[in-house]
Amino acid sequence: WDENARKLYQTQLSKMDALPTMKVSFPVRNNQGQQKHVLNGFTVSELTWWDRINGGTWESETLDVFDQYITPDTIVVDFGAWIGPTAFYHAQFAKRVIAIEADPNAFASLERNLVLNSGHGWSSNVNLESVCVSTPNDTGVMTMKSADAGNSCSSLGENVEWACGGVKEEWQVRCYTLPYLFAQRGITIDPQSPVFIKVDIESYECALIPSFYDWLVGEKFLPTIFVSFHPQITLCDEEQLRGVMKVFKLYEHVSCEAGKRRLKLSPTTSFGEFQDELIANKCFQSSEYSDFVLNGRAGDPSWLKQFL
């Protein structure tokens, strides 16, 4: 981080020192009669937003995806982790969690909230990273922007001006490719340690997801990817969308709307057919975002599918 980011981080820490704490518990949920994970409550610095968790009104479809694909053997790479709602959910039943957040205000909250839960065994499985994940061309120091640091809309994307009221804050952050961070953390992708990647990066996804192709095309096993595409995707150019399609076509199962609608893709799917699938499955009918789940390498023999 640059000096401005460090000031934002320290200011947020000071604010949180003055806040009371509150207990948060994800409601017990059921899916077709089968009980979901029953999790311990956790403690956070009191912010009004957390009432959505206790009230059971926050993104139940997101939690459904975690429940379906994350097991006690799974390594989860969660970026942007924001103030911790997703990381503190799946950390309670995953093998290991790398939570990445480059917004200094959000990272201060995430870090403080993890410390508040140091008494829970799952907290020791969580590692925090205050860096950003970028394309190979964007590695090094990049400018991150936001209407208000910590508001969950911060991004590297050139279209971030679209989100949450324009740009009022900027700071510098160091960026790395995901394969580099995997190597630094000793993460390999194999059936014994499946990897789940959650990507929520507020408009940079059209640049980042295509950059995964050169990495993933040579991997025998693929990570499950859960990626949120935000409304700014309408501003992504055709080259970027073709790159997204190339990555999607590496996978056997591709679905939108948090796994509800499966796309019919094959190695021979054309760009026009890809666009038709997105439209037919109403993948961007939401005014906020559309979540895609990518799972299983296309063309794998049936005996491998149990591991992916």
Side-chain angles (χ1 to χ4, degrees):
W1 285 332
D2 65 0
E3 186 61 29
N4 186 43
R6 286 191 287 271
K7 286 180 180 178
L8 290 168
Y9 169 77
Q10 291 296 338
T11 299
Q12 182 68 4
L13 283 182
S14 297
K15 288 180 180 178
M16 296 184 72
D17 286 340
L19 290 175
T21 60
M22 66 183 292
K23 276 286 194 183
V24 174
S25 295
F26 286 94
V28 176
R29 300 171 305 112
N30 292 274
N31 183 25
Q32 297 179 346
Q34 295 190 3
Q35 184 169 287
K36 296 291 190 178
H37 290 98
V38 180
L39 307 177
N40 296 320
F42 55 90
T43 304
V44 295
S45 292
E46 185 171 336
L47 295 170
T48 304
W49 182 88
W50 289 103
D51 291 336
R52 300 185 189 182
I53 301 294
N54 281 332
T57 62
W58 184 77
E59 296 192 18
S60 61
E61 296 88 355
T62 294
L63 306 184
D64 288 340
V65 171
F66 295 157
D67 287 333
Q68 181 175 354
Y69 293 103
I70 298 173
T71 73
D73 295 320
T74 303
I75 297 171
V76 181
V77 179
D78 186 331
F79 66 99
W82 193 40
I83 60 176
T86 54
F88 294 168
Y89 183 83
H90 51 60
Q92 297 193 41
F93 53 91
K95 179 180 180 180
R96 181 183 174 197
V97 173
I98 312 296
I100 302 171
E101 179 52 60
D103 180 311
N105 276 28
F107 187 83
S109 298
L110 176 66
E111 185 179 55
R112 172 65 181 273
N113 289 337
L114 184 61
V115 169
L116 289 173
N117 290 280
S118 58
H120 294 298
W122 56 264
S123 66
S124 63
N125 297 328
V126 182
N127 299 111
L128 307 183
E129 296 276 6
S130 59
V131 299
C132 73
V133 177
S134 73
T135 69
N137 290 336
D138 288 342
T139 55
V141 176
M142 291 282 290
T143 299
M144 198 167 194
K145 303 174 184 179
S146 182
D148 184 19
N151 69 352
S152 85
C153 295
S154 304
S155 179
L156 297 174
E158 61 185 29
N159 297 324
V160 68
E161 288 86 351
W162 240 43
C164 300
V167 173
K168 299 180 180 126
E169 293 273 11
E170 294 186 7
W171 59 91
Q172 301 288 307
V173 61
R174 186 161 293 279
C175 301
Y176 303 92
T177 66
L178 198 55
Y180 175 87
L181 292 174
F182 272 38
Q184 291 297 302
R185 286 293 185 178
I187 299 173
T188 57
I189 306 170
D190 61 64
Q192 283 69 45
S193 295
V195 175
F196 182 99
I197 302 171
K198 190 220 82 179
V199 184
D200 189 358
I201 49 177
E202 307 296 330
S203 82
Y204 187 61
E205 55 270 16
C206 262
L208 184 66
I209 296 302
S211 77
F212 287 172
Y213 180 82
D214 289 341
W215 166 43
L216 296 178
V217 71
E219 293 288 330
K220 184 175 181 180
F221 304 103
L222 297 184
T224 295
I225 297 179
F226 180 43
V227 55
S228 295
F229 280 88
H230 292 77
Q232 297 94 326
I233 192 172
T234 59
L235 302 180
C236 296
D237 60 39
E238 182 175 323
E239 181 181 0
Q240 290 174 325
L241 291 175
R242 286 180 180 275
V244 170
M245 180 188 71
K246 282 182 67 177
V247 173
F248 280 18
K249 285 165 61 175
L250 293 175
Y251 284 83
E252 180 174 12
H253 301 285
V254 178
S255 55
C256 67
E257 296 300 308
K260 294 177 182 176
R261 301 187 180 98
R262 183 173 176 181
L263 279 63
K264 297 177 182 178
L265 303 179
S266 75
T268 60
T269 297
S270 69
F271 184 59
E273 290 168 337
F274 175 64
Q275 292 176 300
D276 290 342
E277 278 295 297
L278 294 177
I279 294 169
N281 285 281
K282 301 179 181 178
C283 291
F284 294 104
Q285 68 177 1
S286 170
S287 61
E288 296 183 2
Y289 56 84
S290 185
D291 292 328
F292 287 81
V293 180
L294 318 179
N295 176 252
R297 176 176 277 286
D300 277 324
S302 59
W303 66 270
L304 277 177
K305 294 175 186 175
Q306 63 183 306
F307 299 114
L308 300 172

